Amino acid sequence: MDRMIKILALQALSVMIIASFSCSPGKGDGEITAGPEDRVITDMKGNRVVVSKKLERVALLGGPTGQIAYILGAQERLCAVTGSIATSELIRIFDPSIASRPTVRTVSGSVNVEELIKSNAQLVIAGDTDGEIVRSKTGIAVAYFDDSIGDRVEAIKKEIMFYASVFEAEKRGEAYNNYLDSMIAFINERISSIPVNKRKVIYNGYNSNHLVTLGGDTFMQERIELAGCLNAAKEIGTSSKQEGLHSGLGEVSMELVLKWNPDIIVIDMGSLEELKNDSRWASIKAVKNGEVYTQPAGAFIWDRPTAEAAVLHPLWMAMTAYPEKFRDISFRKEIKRFYKEIFGFNLTDKHARMIEEGSFRAKIMKGAKSQ
Amino acid sequence: MTIPRQGRIRLVLSLLVILVSIISLMTGQMYIPPLTIIKIIASNFIPLTPDWSPTVESVIMNVRLPRLAAGLLVGAGLSISGASFQGLFRNPLVSPHILGVAAGAGFGAALGILMSDSLVVIQISAFLFGMISVAAAYLLSRVYHTSPVLMLVLAGIIVGSLFSALTSFLKYIADPMNRMPAIVFWLMGSLNNVTGKDLLYVGPVFAACITALLLIRWRINVLSMGEEDAKAMGVNTELTGAVIIVCATVITAAAVCISGIIGWIGLVIPHIGRLLVGPDHRYLLPVSLLVGAGYLVAVDTIARSIMVVEVPIGILTALIGAPFFAILLRKNRPGW
């Protein structure tokens, strides 16, 4: 009996010891030894990470955040990137070299460790899952971004400033944040006088069946409200992971969309004609009034919490819903101004048109194949 | 005069299917009273002044009715194919997917999703590859001359694995943000995408194949006694087998192309049928058809009602069906 208790106690102890070693990612690094050539940065989880003062080779393993390097003018220092940024058609036009950077990650949890080591990165910036893989398999320093909150406007601004501190590009980070703030203020100034009962209901119908949407508990709720509109899917929650769909997305039934009867429908796949000729959709206000649109897409798809979409997507929705309030504004000009001032990309009229029409989306979607 | 037991069971099941169908039309994200439903449907044939909103009309005519019809057809088709296959292969573990049709159609759908945004293209591609995979399995089984039934099952497994691997490959190279999730989601099965137009094309196909299977159902009895005996009784086993395979394959491929892959139905509904009327295929096929139709409609009604977001029906068919089947097995031990 005594023996049993002893064995059990030993087992419990060993479990505790193992647990204490393997506890939450990025915690408990112990003392930090920073040499004269080093500096210390604080990541978004509050960890202090030592990096060289000459930080020239950084691997970005974030999905939608890959474009931040361009906003900060730090693209030359990327030594390895994630798939969605390397295959972005718009980015490739203005930085052809991105296509030749090693792609060391496709989705969360799938990191090509050998390729990452070969890229000789000094620092990896990643979310929890990817960061843990890199930590456990390589000796490369990892700074974590917070992928649990990387959603709403305030979180995006915080994230930008974190990346800015890594790349020592605080000025450009602030420039982006100011741009974002003034855009939100501008839209608000134009739409704030619209009474709540006159605000238009937007339904985002994604996927080829147009029945996948972002609910009231996602970043899209805030984005639609910033545009002075109402989210048809406000009452439903989609932020939990649904098997087979990207996080935040949920599929609803056709009759729910009929019940919502939105004023505006925005799709991302398929043709507008096909939807307009489908009898199931015919009784909806948006279809009757011809208010069905394809969502624009730039460096990345806009139904994600990216830096570009945070600025331009609410403007596009507001201009689409209330064109009479924005008669003096050209959306394509706004596109060109944003990418020039923030990304340093000189878009042609054709590029701006392609963004507005969403034609880059098809290329983003098919990008992974053409690799 | 009393109705014989077989007839009674069929009558009760038919009434149940009708009852489930009516409940299905009434329930969903909004309740619609039966009288309104009748008026809406009647207004298509006789002039009536609508006292209902166009939204309600659209929900009934464009969403619930097509979905109900699709549920009835897919449920009936999959169960009758399953029952026929189980007889043909003399094996209770066989489902209509055994010859690789689901794997082939799944690959076709994945290919369609990669190549195109259009639902129609995805459906046609799914149907074609479902047929191709079974044709391949059939031809492969002809290469060897021993025990045709066994070879057919093996060939089906070979072709099925090949197409599953190809589907996995497509998922691997597909864009992980949109296309890959779309493929996974599609493979889980749902009646959410059914339109009236789909039924116009697919409905007659279902009807023709189901009728064909019902017409030759007594021959399945003969086949299930074994090939030698069947031949001795003068039944052309090859031809009958081929007809069953073609009908069941067309049904399954058509089902997959409008609803994705819905498992469990084709495998287990025939067993429930057998518990009710025994192993005689003359009775088993009609009963399986009714049980399958009612079951899928019931489950689909739950799938679109319990949560505001759609629950993939493939999950529910198994989740509800499995315990139910276990209880039935416990109650009366079926003879196979």
Side-chain angles (χ1 to χ4, degrees):
Chain A
M1 198 57 205
D2 265 2
R3 254 182 88 91
M4 277 294 283
I5 292 171
K6 266 186 203 157
I7 290 169
L8 277 178
L10 258 176
Q11 274 178 349
L13 193 67
S14 54
V15 166
M16 265 154 44
I17 291 169
I18 292 166
S20 67
F21 275 117
S22 58
C23 73
S24 68
K27 287 267 149 64
D29 265 333
E31 82 277 29
I32 289 174
T33 44
E37 297 299 307
D38 296 334
R39 72 192 165 95
V40 178
I41 54 168
T42 307
D43 72 11
M44 293 187 79
K45 294 286 170 72
N47 305 311
R48 286 152 55 80
V49 184
V50 179
V51 294
S52 166
K53 275 182 183 157
K54 290 199 197 91
L55 192 58
E56 298 298 337
R57 305 186 63 77
V58 179
L60 276 193
L61 302 193
T65 55
Q67 53 180 255
I68 286 183
Y70 290 87
I71 293 173
L72 300 173
Q75 61 268 36
E76 298 302 323
R77 293 199 259 168
L78 297 181
C79 66
V81 290
T82 188
S84 60
I85 193 80
T87 53
S88 164
E89 193 74 11
L90 182 65
I91 300 265
R92 280 180 177 198
I93 291 171
F94 293 96
D95 179 15
S97 74
I98 192 74
S100 56
R101 309 254 159 127
T103 308
V104 295
R105 169 194 183 267
T106 47
V107 281
S108 189
S110 88
V111 179
N112 186 337
V113 175
E114 281 189 29
E115 194 77 10
L116 178 64
I117 294 172
K118 218 175 87 187
S119 79
N120 199 16
Q122 294 168 291
L123 176 70
V124 170
I125 303 179
D128 282 349
T129 319
D130 299 331
E132 217 26 48
I133 294 172
V134 175
R135 273 169 69 91
S136 61
K137 294 191 176 160
T138 74
I140 308 169
V142 179
Y144 290 86
F145 60 81
D146 193 344
D147 45 10
S148 61
I149 59 155
D151 279 341
R152 322 225 164 195
V153 166
E154 283 312 310
I156 284 177
K157 280 157 68 176
K158 222 173 115 191
E159 194 171 351
I160 290 275
M161 291 319 290
F162 157 63
Y163 281 92
S165 76
V166 172
F167 292 112
E168 296 176 287
E170 280 84 354
K171 275 219 172 92
R172 289 192 65 155
E174 274 159 22
Y176 169 83
N177 284 355
N178 292 337
Y179 199 110
L180 177 59
D181 283 338
S182 60
M183 177 61 81
I184 289 169
F186 168 74
I187 300 170
N188 189 49
E189 177 199 316
R190 296 290 174 102
I191 52 101
S192 57
S193 60
I194 302 169
V196 176
N197 59 2
K198 291 265 170 67
R199 299 209 166 189
K200 291 197 172 163
V201 177
I202 288 192
Y203 167 70
N204 288 312
Y206 299 133
N207 226 332
S208 52
N209 63 6
H210 317 305
L211 291 173
V212 171
T213 196
L214 288 158
D217 57 347
T218 64
F219 66 92
M220 189 55 81
Q221 185 61 32
E222 181 196 48
R223 200 178 277 174
I224 289 175
E225 280 169 5
L226 286 176
C229 299
L230 305 169
N231 184 4
K234 185 184 180 181
E235 60 184 79
I236 67 162
T238 59
S239 71
S240 60
K241 177 94 182 114
Q242 214 183 332
E243 177 65 35
L245 288 177
H246 203 77
S247 57
L249 294 167
E251 183 170 0
V252 296
S253 72
M254 185 68 225
E255 60 179 87
L256 201 53
V257 181
L258 288 169
K259 193 175 104 182
W260 289 335
N261 201 10
D263 301 300
I264 294 171
I265 295 175
V266 181
I267 64 171
D268 72 334
M269 289 166 98
S271 79
L272 296 173
E273 287 312 305
E274 204 176 321
L275 186 139
K276 285 176 187 164
N277 294 327
D278 189 332
S279 62
R280 295 189 302 166
W281 297 81
S283 76
I284 297 174
K285 252 188 270 170
V287 179
K288 280 185 184 159
N289 302 334
E291 298 233 51
V292 186
Y293 305 94
T294 301
Q295 185 167 279
F300 200 64
I301 44 177
W302 281 12
D303 45 315
R304 293 273 100 202
T306 65
E308 64 174 334
V311 173
L312 292 173
H313 195 192
L315 177 67
W316 177 76
M317 281 193 282
M319 291 182 69
T320 305
Y322 315 109
E324 69 284 356
K325 302 269 180 197
F326 296 90
R327 293 226 186 278
D328 55 329
I329 305 292
S330 150
F331 185 60
R332 290 188 196 167
K333 272 192 191 141
E334 286 300 312
I335 292 176
K336 285 169 79 172
R337 183 168 77 91
F338 172 76
Y339 285 98
K340 185 171 169 52
E341 283 184 29
I342 299 296
F343 279 71
F345 292 175
N346 278 312
L347 268 57
T348 63
D349 289 336
K350 184 174 154 239
H351 295 143
R353 196 191 74 228
M354 284 174 74
I355 290 175
E356 185 181 13
E357 289 172 349
S359 11
F360 278 114
R361 187 200 62 84
K363 297 200 161 98
I364 295 165
M365 294 301 121
K366 294 199 168 138
K369 266 195 315 173
S370 60
Q371 263 300 53
Chain B
M1 200 187 89
T2 52
I3 311 167
R5 183 180 137 79
Q6 303 294 352
R8 261 197 334 262
I9 289 180
R10 264 187 244 174
L11 188 70
V12 170
L13 285 176
S14 306
L15 290 176
L16 271 178
V17 171
I18 293 170
L19 183 71
V20 168
S21 303
I22 293 170
I23 294 175
S24 168
L25 285 178
M26 284 158 53
T27 41
Q29 299 298 332
M30 55 177 110
Y31 167 77
I32 303 177
L35 192 66
T36 314
I37 297 172
I38 294 167
K39 279 198 275 184
I40 289 172
I41 296 173
S43 72
N44 287 291
F45 306 104
I46 50 170
L48 273 178
T49 15
D51 58 351
W52 55 85
S53 77
T55 303
V56 170
E57 173 160 356
S58 190
V59 166
I60 290 291
M61 295 309 297
N62 293 318
V63 181
R64 290 194 193 162
L65 266 184
R67 226 174 141 151
L68 170 67
L72 290 171
L73 284 175
V74 171
L78 287 179
S79 350
I80 200 171
S81 313
S84 311
F85 264 18
Q86 289 177 3
L88 174 68
F89 293 110
R90 300 193 295 282
N91 186 337
L93 295 177
V94 161
S95 80
H97 301 320
I98 190 81
L99 294 184
V101 57
F107 170 77
L111 195 67
I113 291 170
L114 272 193
M115 295 302 169
S116 159
D117 283 354
S118 161
L119 270 180
V120 182
V121 174
I122 296 170
Q123 288 173 340
I124 292 173
S125 170
F127 186 79
L128 278 181
F129 276 92
M131 302 299 289
I132 288 173
S133 71
V134 174
Y138 194 78
L139 291 176
L140 189 61
S141 75
R142 303 274 107 179
V143 174
Y144 313 97
H145 293 289
T146 50
S147 178
V149 167
L150 181 65
M151 284 322 298
L152 197 53
V153 173
L154 286 177
I157 290 172
I158 293 169
V159 173
S161 328
L162 186 70
F163 276 110
S164 302
L166 285 173
T167 308
S168 300
F169 178 68
L170 286 189
K171 277 199 257 180
Y172 182 72
I173 60 166
D175 144 62
M177 292 301 291
N178 266 44
R179 302 276 162 174
M180 204 256 296
I183 295 173
V184 176
F185 205 74
W186 197 90
L187 290 177
M188 281 194 295
S190 165
L191 290 171
N192 204 6
N193 303 331
V194 174
T195 66
K197 235 197 283 167
D198 292 342
L199 292 170
L200 230 50
Y201 299 119
V202 179
V205 175
F206 269 99
C209 292
I210 290 175
T211 315
L213 284 177
L214 284 175
L215 286 176
I216 60 160
R217 64 185 193 271
W218 65 272
R219 286 167 189 266
I220 303 175
N221 274 349
V222 183
L223 279 187
S224 62
M225 296 189 317
E227 218 148 318
E228 310 289 304
D229 289 340
K231 273 189 185 144
M233 290 179 75
V235 169
N236 185 340
T237 53
E238 283 213 355
L239 183 67
T240 313
V243 170
I244 293 173
I245 289 171
V246 168
C247 287
T249 300
V250 171
I251 288 174
T252 316
V256 174
C257 92
I258 61 170
S259 65
I261 294 169
I262 300 177
W264 176 267
I265 301 254
L267 174 65
V268 172
I269 297 295
H271 288 271
I272 294 177
R274 228 168 268 125
L275 289 174
L276 292 170
V277 294
D280 187 336
H281 289 89
R282 282 176 301 165
Y283 308 120
L284 177 60
L285 258 58
V287 163
S288 299
L289 181 144
L290 289 171
V291 174
Y295 181 68
L296 193 58
V297 169
V299 172
D300 183 52
T301 307
I302 295 170
R304 64 181 166 77
S305 311
I306 48 167
M307 282 161 68
V308 268
V309 286
E310 283 262 332
V311 185
I313 195 166
I315 298 174
L316 282 181
T317 47
L319 210 59
I320 299 169
F324 175 65
F325 185 54
I327 293 166
L328 272 186
L329 279 181
R330 176 82 188 79
K331 276 201 165 159
N332 36 26
R333 291 142 203 283
W336 152 246

